[in-house]
Every structure is written in C-alpha cells, then in structure tokens.
Amino acid sequence: MNKKLLLRLTVLFAFVLLISAAVIYFTFDIRALDYLTLFEPRCILLALGCLAVGLLFDGLRLLTLASITDGQLTLKQVVNVVLSNYFLALVTPGASGGAIAQVMFMRKAGVPVAKSTVVVLVRTIMSISFLILLVPVVLHSDSDIVKWMPASVLTVVSVAFISLPVIAVLLMRSRYPERIIFWFTRKFSYTTRRNCYIWYQQFKHAVIVMGRHPLMVLRAFVESGLSLLFIYATVPAYFAGLNINFDLVQVMGRMVLLNLVLYFSPTPGGSGIAEAGFVVLFSNILPEGVEGIMAVLWRFTAEYLPFLLGAFVTIRAFGSDVLNMASVKSKTKPGKNAPSQ
C-alpha cells in the first residue's frame, strides 16, 4: 500500500480511537451497566437499516441530479460515488477530498468534469439548505434548547434562516456577490482571489441549472431530506434499544442542529466536535453514563462504516495512490474544471 495513504489511515485510526476512548472514559458511569445489559441487539439491525435507506435516497438524489445535467450513471457507479465521498472526506483536510472523489468517479463513468462539478455542488447546497430550513422548526419545537431565548429573538432567527436560500438566489441575479468577493479577497494572493471567484461562478452556474428544472430539483431536494433524516434516525434506533422514553421529534431535531454545525467543522469528518456536541445535546435525554457510548455507536454506524466501504471501492478503483491523484485534481487550474456559462 502507498506509504502516504497508509500513514494517513494510521493517523486517522489513532485519532478516531483516541477521541472515542476519551468520550466514553469521561462520560461513563457505573450505573450505565444496568442499561447496557438490557440493550436490545436487534436495534443495531434497525440502525443499519436506517443507514441503508439513507444511502439509498442519497443514491437516488445523485441519479436525479445527474439526469438534470444529462449524465448517465449505473447502479454500481452511483454506489461508488456515494461511498467514495465518505472515504476521501475523512482522510483529507477540511473534507475537501469528498467532492474530489465524487468528481473522479463520475468522470470515470463518462460524466464530463463540468457537469459532475455542478452535481457535487448542488448535492452539498441541497443538504445544507434542507437543514437550514428545518432550524426554525427545531427551535420552536425544542423548549430545552431555546428556553433562554426570548420569543422575539426566536422569531427573528427563524425568519433569517428561512430567508437565507431566497436571499442567496436573489443575489445571484446581481453583481453584488462579485463585488463582495473582490472586497474581502483584495489583500489575498492572485491565486486565492481567482479560486474564490471561480468557486462563486460554479455556485452560480449550479443555481442556474437548478432553476431550469424546478420539478426535478424539488424531487432531488425531497430525496436529499429523506436521505439525511434516515441517516440521523440511526440515533433514535439505538436509543430504542435502551428501552427509555424519549421524544423522537426532539432527538431528530437535535441531530439536525448538530449535523448542520458539522458541515463547517475543520476536523476530519467532524471527529471530536461531533462526539462532544452529541454529549452536550443528549445528556439530558439519555441515562447518565451512556451518552458517550451512544455517541461512539452513532459515529461508527453513520460515518465510519460507510468510510470503510468507501475505502474498499475507492482503492479498488484507483489503487493505493488515490491520495496523490486527488491532490493533483485539487491543484488543477480551476479554469479548466469550471463549468462553462
């Protein structure tokens, strides 16, 4: 195996193991053993089933978006694209490799780089937009989270979150985004400024493509939401195994908030931040001492298991030199990979 890849996997494995051990150690309580002995193993199958359905809808979303750009993908190619995202996102800084892996597999399937870039960008936009639109619902339904927030502030926050996607679309119709990018990057290097501008052009192009196919976009948006919700449902599946009373809507709402934060996490796959956030959000729902174990179970099921599957399909397709290939892709001049207007 390539030494660079082996080293990266070793460091990642050690980091994940250390984080998981620390979370369990600092949250474990001897009374948790009573609940763990009553844990129903069949709920593990339920959690895996939720994950499988979530990945299925993720694949359906990819097929829908590919059809919008006139791209054709087989079932095997869809599986490769979805799983490879988990693998390279965890072994590259800032999860940047996830998008590169998807483009690599779609290009291998015959989808032009310009079209695959649009598909990848739209997938990310849809996921974040879906979570943003759910934030007001979560805030209004979870009194424990917003009990310190006045009703007027809650209303303003809710309106702001709902308005964000609309404002973004309206701004695309003006020259203000270019001016803002120019002003914020005026002291950066030429390469950085150019990359920021090209990223914005790709984003704008993705919005334009979505606007031409509203019904297909709506379908992909619904598939995106179902994918996320089923993957998050692995958590209440494990909670059910403890035979405790909990509010399903409340648990899913807090998973929405946590995963929205993880989209902007600087650590690999949100490791460390995800576990800490899980403990904070669910400490008042779970019995004392088991929140750390549940956090690790959730992370293994929803993140590390797809990562292992993604590692298998990615290394099998591109070999152990895949990290160098991804690095070359990321350093390719943006102008060559940018979607044409």
Side-chain angles (χ1 to χ4, degrees), residues 180-197:
I180 293 173
I181 292 173
F182 176 79
W183 189 85
F184 275 105
T185 62
R186 66 189 188 281
K187 295 183 179 180
F188 294 164
S189 66
Y190 170 78
T191 302
T192 301
R193 290 160 55 198
R194 184 170 181 269
N195 288 341
C196 289
Y197 181 78

Side-chain angles (χ1 to χ4, degrees), residues 171-225:
L171 282 175
M172 295 300 104
R173 303 169 65 91
S174 70
R175 301 289 297 179
Y176 289 111
E178 285 95 337
R179 296 174 183 174
I180 293 173
I181 292 173
F182 176 79
W183 189 85
F184 275 105
T185 62
R186 66 189 188 281
K187 295 183 179 180
F188 294 164
S189 66
Y190 170 78
T191 302
T192 301
R193 290 160 55 198
R194 184 170 181 269
N195 288 341
C196 289
Y197 181 78
I198 291 177
W199 182 91
Y200 165 72
Q201 291 299 324
Q202 291 176 341
F203 177 83
K204 183 177 181 179
H205 182 74
V207 173
I208 293 173
V209 171
M210 288 191 292
R212 293 171 181 167
H213 306 273
L215 293 181
M216 294 295 286
V217 168
L218 177 60
R219 172 181 168 180
F221 186 76
V222 172
E223 291 167 344
S224 179

Side-chain angles (χ1 to χ4, degrees), residues 96-340:
S96 59
I100 297 171
Q102 295 174 69
V103 172
M104 288 170 61
F105 266 108
M106 280 190 279
R107 183 176 181 181
K108 187 179 179 69
V111 180
V113 173
K115 292 183 178 181
S116 59
T117 301
V118 170
V119 170
V120 171
L121 190 56
V122 170
R123 290 180 76 216
T124 304
I125 293 172
M126 283 189 169
S127 295
I128 296 177
S129 298
F130 179 79
L131 297 181
I132 287 176
L133 290 175
L134 281 184
V135 168
V137 179
V138 174
L139 294 180
H140 281 278
S141 62
D142 196 331
S143 57
D144 290 340
I145 289 182
V146 297
K147 58 185 177 183
W148 50 270
M149 186 181 296
S152 57
V153 175
L154 180 59
T155 301
V156 171
V157 171
S158 299
V159 172
F161 271 98
I162 293 174
S163 303
L164 280 176
V166 179
I167 294 174
V169 172
L170 292 176
L171 282 175
M172 295 300 104
R173 303 169 65 91
S174 70
R175 301 289 297 179
Y176 289 111
E178 285 95 337
R179 296 174 183 174
I180 293 173
I181 292 173
F182 176 79
W183 189 85
F184 275 105
T185 62
R186 66 189 188 281
K187 295 183 179 180
F188 294 164
S189 66
Y190 170 78
T191 302
T192 301
R193 290 160 55 198
R194 184 170 181 269
N195 288 341
C196 289
Y197 181 78
I198 291 177
W199 182 91
Y200 165 72
Q201 291 299 324
Q202 291 176 341
F203 177 83
K204 183 177 181 179
H205 182 74
V207 173
I208 293 173
V209 171
M210 288 191 292
R212 293 171 181 167
H213 306 273
L215 293 181
M216 294 295 286
V217 168
L218 177 60
R219 172 181 168 180
F221 186 76
V222 172
E223 291 167 344
S224 179
L226 290 174
S227 172
L228 293 174
L229 292 178
F230 270 102
I231 292 175
Y232 300 165
T234 56
V235 171
Y238 282 128
F239 287 6
L242 294 173
N243 291 308
I244 60 173
N245 294 322
F246 63 90
D247 186 337
L248 177 61
V249 174
Q250 183 184 53
V251 171
M252 292 296 289
R254 295 189 181 187
M255 287 301 297
V256 166
L257 295 179
L258 177 57
N259 281 274
L260 180 58
V261 172
L262 294 182
Y263 267 99
F264 307 97
S265 169
T267 59
S271 296
I273 296 177
E275 289 83 357
F278 187 96
V279 171
V280 170
L281 288 174
F282 295 106
S283 58
N284 66 333
I285 296 177
L286 292 169
E288 188 173 355
V290 302
E291 57 266 37
I293 297 174
M294 290 293 106
V296 172
L297 274 176
W298 160 57
R299 290 292 287 168
F300 178 80
T301 304
E303 196 72 36
Y304 303 136
L305 181 57
F307 164 81
L308 294 174
L309 296 175
F312 173 77
V313 300
T314 305
I315 295 175
R316 183 179 180 183
F318 296 103
S320 59
D321 201 39
V322 63
L323 283 185
N324 290 330
M325 295 176 63
S327 178
V328 170
K329 291 285 184 182
S330 65
K331 293 177 181 178
T332 302
K333 291 184 180 180
K336 295 182 179 180
N337 290 337
S340 58

